[in-house]
Amino acid sequence: MSASLDGDAAVTSPQPDAEALVAEARQWWQTDIIDIHPGEIALRGYPIEELIGNVGFVDTIWLMLRGELPSRAHAALFEAALVASVDHGPQAPSIAIARMAVTCGVPVNGAMASAINVLDDIHGGPGQQCMELYLEIDAEMEETGALDQAVDRVLQRWRDAGIRYVPGFGHRFHPLDPRTPRLLSLVDDAVAEGIVGGRFAAIGRAVADAISSGRAAPIPMNVDGVTAVIYCELGLPPELGRGVFILARSVGILAHASEQMKQGGRIKGPMPKSLGYTYTGPAHRPVPRNDDQGRPRS
């Protein structure tokens, strides 16, 4: 017991013993993902030496994220979505950033980190946002019982919230995203074989019909919209939809960073110097004298 400055007695808390401190430290981080001991590594309970050579990388991604190994059919559909998202050329901002970073002397890890950091809501996030749209429509359909009505209600809510663009539809480069028909055909095959239910494939197609209604040209589903269908069909939550997109696009980022390292180049900007840029500021003008109007005063 000790005395406080105002004369009152203060009681000190008993110090925990060493075993209690160790127990508290062990509980600080908890994980169901990996168990490591000297000479032992297990992912979700599976010894790493048994996974190596027997389980593919895509299966391992699923295992790490979902807790169990996927069926072959689920893994194949999951892998197809990942393959579709690997790369979209050096005009994609994330890829361009990786290449420019390399020409500034950044090593591969820095180039990849720079590129991944721009995969946010606008460039990289529409897949997650589209999953959220599909899930909201799915929840609405539980109440209305009608797909078209649920789509109309949810799209109107999104419009009322000021959302101008429906994520997962339309493309600034492709009139028809070549990845979409192929992936949708794989989903349809999986539905026919009873691998997935097809609920979200129907929702995705209904959204495309709704936003294209009354237009001269349809607004087709893009890769974000169709991979959102697949990830929803496979039961992934939206945040993992963005995460696995970033995993897939990291492959393209790495490939482009490596290629730029081989090609060389120094401090390459977004455009060749010969193209320049458009200046929109004031014309050249003299600096005002001290007695001229407009001269900054201290």
Side-chain angles (χ1 to χ4, degrees), residues 1-13:
M1 207 158 78
S2 60
S4 63
L5 293 177
D6 59 8
D8 294 334
V11 179
T12 57
S13 301

Side-chain angles (χ1 to χ4, degrees), residues 9 28 40 63 98 103-104 112 115 132-133 162 170 177 201 209 240 242 247 258 266 271 278 285-286 292:
W28 186 253
E40 297 180 7
L63 172 65
T103 69
C104 294
M112 293 185 71
E132 291 167 351
L133 172 66
D177 193 322
D209 290 342
L240 286 188
R242 183 185 303 209
L247 279 177
S258 174
R266 182 177 174 84
M271 297 185 299
T278 301
R285 51 186 174 166
D292 288 343

Side-chain angles (χ1 to χ4, degrees), residues 131-151:
M131 291 179 71
E132 291 167 351
L133 172 66
Y134 292 164
L135 289 167
E136 187 173 341
I137 292 171
D138 186 52
E140 187 75 25
M141 195 163 55
E142 292 288 340
E143 296 184 9
T144 64
L147 174 57
D148 291 344
Q149 186 178 359
V151 169

Side-chain angles (χ1 to χ4, degrees), residues 78-96:
F78 184 46
E79 185 172 23
L82 294 174
V83 169
S85 302
V86 162
D87 192 12
H88 198 258
Q91 79 279 8
S94 55
I95 301 295

Side-chain angles (χ1 to χ4, degrees), residues 251-265:
V251 177
I253 290 169
L254 175 59
H256 281 273
S258 174
E259 182 179 63
Q260 192 64 55
M261 287 178 174
K262 294 174 184 176
Q263 291 178 358

Side-chain angles (χ1 to χ4, degrees), residues 10-72:
V11 179
T12 57
S13 301
Q15 294 298 316
D17 58 30
E19 290 186 4
L21 283 173
V22 170
E24 182 181 0
R26 289 182 182 277
Q27 292 296 318
W28 186 253
W29 295 114
Q30 298 182 37
T31 179
D32 293 335
I33 299 170
I34 189 165
D35 190 22
I36 301 177
H37 301 280
E40 297 180 7
I41 303 173
L43 303 182
R44 300 287 193 179
Y46 294 108
I48 192 68
E49 64 271 20
E50 295 183 21
L51 292 171
I52 296 171
N54 293 309
V55 173
F57 184 51
V58 170
D59 302 272
T60 306
I61 295 172
W62 182 289
L63 172 65
M64 293 291 282
L65 298 178
R66 308 295 300 279
E68 297 293 343
L69 288 167
S71 68
R72 289 186 179 181

Side-chain angles (χ1 to χ4, degrees), residues 27 67 80 83 94 106 114-115 201 207 215:
Q27 292 296 318
V83 169
S94 55
V106 174
S114 298
V207 171
R215 295 178 178 267

